[in-house]
Amino acid sequence: MKNTVTTFKQAKQEGTKLTMLTAYDYSTAKLVDEAGVNAILVGDSLGNVVLGYEDTLSVTMEDMIHHGRAVSRGAKNALVVIDMPFMSYQTSVYDAVVNAGRLMKEGRGGAVKLEGGSEVCPQIKAITSAGIPVMAHLGLTPQSINAFGGFKVQGKSIEAAQKLMDDARAVEEAGAFAITLECVPAALADLVTRNVGIPTIGIGAGAGCDGQVLVYADAVGLYSDFTPKFVKRFGNLGEQMREAFSAYVSEVQQGSFPAEEHTFKIPEDVLSQIK
Ligand code: KIV
């Protein structure tokens, strides 16, 4: 069944856990969709995972549209949420609405996600007023990595924890349909979850959230540059791919690939007439 923002609302009311994984291309989106996730996030983590950048800051609108469109073609039932890249919404409410619109029209997403709390509430209000569902993102927001001074757990002091709670209430009030909570203490994420009426989707935020999200390449062992503590490996595809690539190289070198069954035939009488 097709997942929508209504699915998210119902899940919160009924207490059923929501699932989200990232994907950046058609084939992976199909596999993730077939696994039955509620949402596929075309995260700007594509900057790290697919494009090899050290952070997400260089990701462009064109990157997000290109990958969003590919994922949308592969997702039959999952809600496709596309990240708004760095500086596509922080600059003004106008930019935010125009760029969110492009992610829907050109990227074919079903919702957008943006990072930040009360400071981006005018953007959330304007985008949702334009009929575009917004997922908020609080806690460790990777686009602000330079302001945080590194990848650190957020919300550990009284002030920071209270700000997280206030921001969660503010983004709900502004119209967000869900909140991604990244890298916050589990007990705080649980408290926030119980104090807002929209679902929280945790990543490094414990089991008390209404749902979970992981970067798919982390979950299946494809991305190994950096593995945060909160990642669980559900598979080791990186190792399997390395073995498969090595087998290909040695079979080609030894002449055992391609074999008879991988080749096409031509009638002998045709071939014999070729000078
Ligand atoms: O870009 C991304 O993949 C994300 C997740 C880490 C939630 O925002």
Side-chain angles (χ1 to χ4, degrees), residues 137-198:
H137 185 156
L138 299 174
L140 176 63
T141 46
Q143 292 176 13
S144 302
I145 196 68
N146 291 306
F148 291 141
F151 289 95
K152 296 178 188 146
V153 179
Q154 300 297 307
K156 282 169 87 174
S157 67
I158 298 174
E159 295 75 29
Q162 186 61 57
K163 174 154 171 44
L164 189 84
M165 179 67 86
D166 294 344
D167 279 342
R169 291 185 173 124
V171 296
E172 177 181 11
E173 174 69 25
F177 75 94
I179 307 170
T180 293
L181 280 181
E182 179 165 356
C183 238
V184 295
L188 176 61
D190 185 58
L191 190 65
V192 169
T193 300
R194 285 186 281 109
N195 275 276
V196 290
I198 54 175

Side-chain angles (χ1 to χ4, degrees), residues 25-47:
D25 65 87
Y26 170 76
S27 300
T28 310
K30 266 176 78 177
L31 292 169
V32 169
D33 189 81
E34 282 161 19
V37 294
N38 298 106
I40 299 180
L41 173 64
V42 188
D44 61 357
S45 51
L46 91 87

Side-chain angles (χ1 to χ4, degrees), residues 22 24 41 43-45 83 113 115 137 180 182 203 213 215:
T22 67
Y24 316 100
L41 173 64
D44 61 357
S45 51
D83 257 346
K113 176 165 82 57
E115 298 181 4
H137 185 156
T180 293
E182 179 165 356
I203 175 162
V213 56
V215 169

Side-chain angles (χ1 to χ4, degrees), residues 22-263:
T22 67
Y24 316 100
D25 65 87
Y26 170 76
S27 300
T28 310
K30 266 176 78 177
L31 292 169
V32 169
D33 189 81
E34 282 161 19
V37 294
N38 298 106
I40 299 180
L41 173 64
V42 188
D44 61 357
S45 51
L46 91 87
N48 308 96
V49 175
V50 178
L51 304 175
Y53 299 139
E54 65 180 28
D55 54 41
T56 58
L57 304 191
S58 303
V59 176
T60 65
M61 276 296 295
E62 271 57 43
D63 292 332
M64 296 313 299
I65 289 168
H66 181 71
H67 289 271
R69 206 189 287 137
V71 166
S72 299
R73 285 194 287 264
K76 265 198 6 225
N77 295 318
L79 173 69
V80 175
V81 182
I82 307 182
D83 257 346
M84 298 199 68
F86 183 53
M87 286 300 132
S88 68
Y89 58 95
Q90 291 94 339
T91 44
S92 71
V93 169
Y94 176 82
D95 286 350
V97 176
V98 169
N99 287 320
R102 287 192 68 198
L103 294 177
M104 303 295 280
K105 270 178 93 158
E106 300 171 51
R108 302 300 305 167
V112 298
K113 176 165 82 57
L114 54 78
E115 298 181 4
S118 54
E119 68 283 7
V120 291
C121 280
Q123 282 88 331
I124 296 176
K125 261 189 201 140
I127 297 170
T128 52
S129 301
I132 301 171
V134 176
M135 181 179 284
H137 185 156
L138 299 174
L140 176 63
T141 46
Q143 292 176 13
S144 302
I145 196 68
N146 291 306
F148 291 141
F151 289 95
K152 296 178 188 146
V153 179
Q154 300 297 307
K156 282 169 87 174
S157 67
I158 298 174
E159 295 75 29
Q162 186 61 57
K163 174 154 171 44
L164 189 84
M165 179 67 86
D166 294 344
D167 279 342
R169 291 185 173 124
V171 296
E172 177 181 11
E173 174 69 25
F177 75 94
I179 307 170
T180 293
L181 280 181
E182 179 165 356
C183 238
V184 295
L188 176 61
D190 185 58
L191 190 65
V192 169
T193 300
R194 285 186 281 109
N195 275 276
V196 290
I198 54 175
T200 58
I201 312 295
I203 175 162
C209 294
D210 297 304
Q212 297 294 322
V213 56
L214 278 179
V215 169
Y216 98 87
D218 287 338
V220 298
L222 266 184
Y223 182 72
S224 55
D225 286 9
F226 170 67
T227 306
K229 171 186 157 83
F230 55 73
V231 167
K232 176 173 175 183
R233 284 256 158 101
F234 291 86
N236 200 356
L237 295 196
E239 197 46 47
Q240 282 181 263
M241 284 172 78
R242 198 175 293 116
E243 279 168 21
F245 298 150
S246 300
Y248 164 78
V249 169
S250 59
E251 286 195 26
V252 170
Q253 286 171 342
Q254 287 159 13
S256 56
F257 175 81
E260 189 72 22
E261 68 268 28
H262 308 118
T263 54

